[in-house]
Amino acid sequence: MENLVLPAPAPVLLPVAGSEALFPVRRIYCVGRNYADHAKEMGGDPQREPPFFFAKPADAAIPSGRRIAFPPATRNLHHEAELVVAIGLAGSDIPATGAERHIWGHAAGNDLTRRDLQDAAKAGRRPWSMAKGFDNSAVIGALHPLSETGPMTSGRIRCHVDGALRQDGDLADMIWPVNEVIAFLSRLVTLAPGDLIMTGTPAGVGPILPGQSCRVSIDGLGAAETAFD
């Protein structure tokens, strides 16, 4: 074994529903504006815009149930309820018709966003990294194997803040369904086991305040929950 000048980072591990097994996270890819109603509320045009991607560091992922510090450097933290796809088989240039075999499973997720930082980045034509990829910014529920859930082409996706309903959509309303997202992304990078894809959010994104709790739920997948100090 090579001599390391620093201790190797601990692996990022997420729970598997109904099991003691853990899923190791390699990378986190996110799809922007993948629901027409959300694209419109953010000022986009869902009829013309091709899919685009941004990333979060692997260690931004935290399991459901954590209580975390309210993120620094923001006065406008937003929730974004999302279906998370976990990759179990490597591939590049994957055809949409064969994408399902690369899926290990699914989970509910929350793509936390420092919206004020994102708005400033957009205005300055700058990257979104600090708006999207900060500490604890990817809340991930327990992963469910594909063999239990099927392809997840439909199902209600909701977000509650302190029990109040904020987002209520259906996975069937994605502009680019999961198989097309995988196909498109795999033409840009080689997907590998351990990769997570956060597949976009429906309309209704909004603020979370210090002291509040947030719950994202998807039919058949349980929830991704967190509370903020």
Side-chain angles (χ1 to χ4, degrees):
M1 182 176 180
E2 295 181 1
N3 293 323
L4 302 177
V5 298
L6 295 172
V12 179
L13 304 171
L14 295 174
V16 174
S19 170
E20 295 297 319
L22 297 170
F23 184 91
V25 180
R26 175 178 177 264
R27 295 179 179 175
I28 304 174
Y29 300 102
C30 307
V31 188
R33 299 176 187 169
N34 199 19
Y35 289 76
D37 50 3
H38 175 60
K40 291 174 182 175
E41 76 176 349
M42 300 304 291
D45 184 346
Q47 302 305 315
R48 293 189 299 169
E49 189 173 45
F52 69 93
F53 300 88
F54 56 92
K56 294 176 182 273
D59 63 2
I62 60 169
S64 176
R66 291 271 183 90
R67 186 172 191 91
I68 61 174
F70 193 81
T74 184
R75 295 184 177 181
N76 195 19
L77 179 71
H78 276 206
H79 56 78
E80 295 194 6
E82 310 211 2
L83 171 68
V84 180
V85 177
I87 298 297
L89 177 66
S92 59
D93 294 318
I94 299 168
T97 53
E100 185 177 315
R101 73 187 191 98
H102 293 266
I103 299 173
W104 187 90
H106 302 90
N110 193 348
D111 168 19
L112 296 174
T113 302
R114 294 193 281 203
R115 191 70 72 199
D116 41 3
L117 271 63
Q118 186 187 38
D119 289 344
K122 287 179 181 178
R125 298 180 179 272
R126 295 171 180 168
W128 296 2
S129 299
M130 292 299 100
K132 289 286 193 176
F134 53 95
D135 298 342
N136 304 322
S137 61
V139 185
I140 311 293
L143 287 154
H144 294 251
L146 178 67
S147 59
E148 296 179 2
T149 66
M152 298 299 297
T153 56
S154 63
R156 302 307 295 178
I157 176 171
R158 300 179 177 91
C159 180
H160 291 79
V161 175
D162 278 358
L165 182 64
R166 292 281 191 85
Q167 293 180 268
D168 188 2
D170 197 288
L171 302 178
D173 295 331
M174 287 186 189
I175 299 170
W176 308 282
V178 168
N179 63 329
E180 293 181 23
V181 167
I182 291 173
F184 194 97
L185 181 57
S186 73
R187 295 196 292 269
L188 299 172
V189 296
T190 298
L191 294 175
D195 288 344
L196 300 179
I197 305 174
M198 304 187 79
T199 57
T201 192
V205 299
I208 307 169
L209 300 177
Q212 291 188 316
S213 62
C214 187
R215 183 178 192 270
V216 172
S217 61
I218 299 176
D219 289 351
L221 294 181
E225 302 181 77
T226 192
F228 298 86
D229 290 331

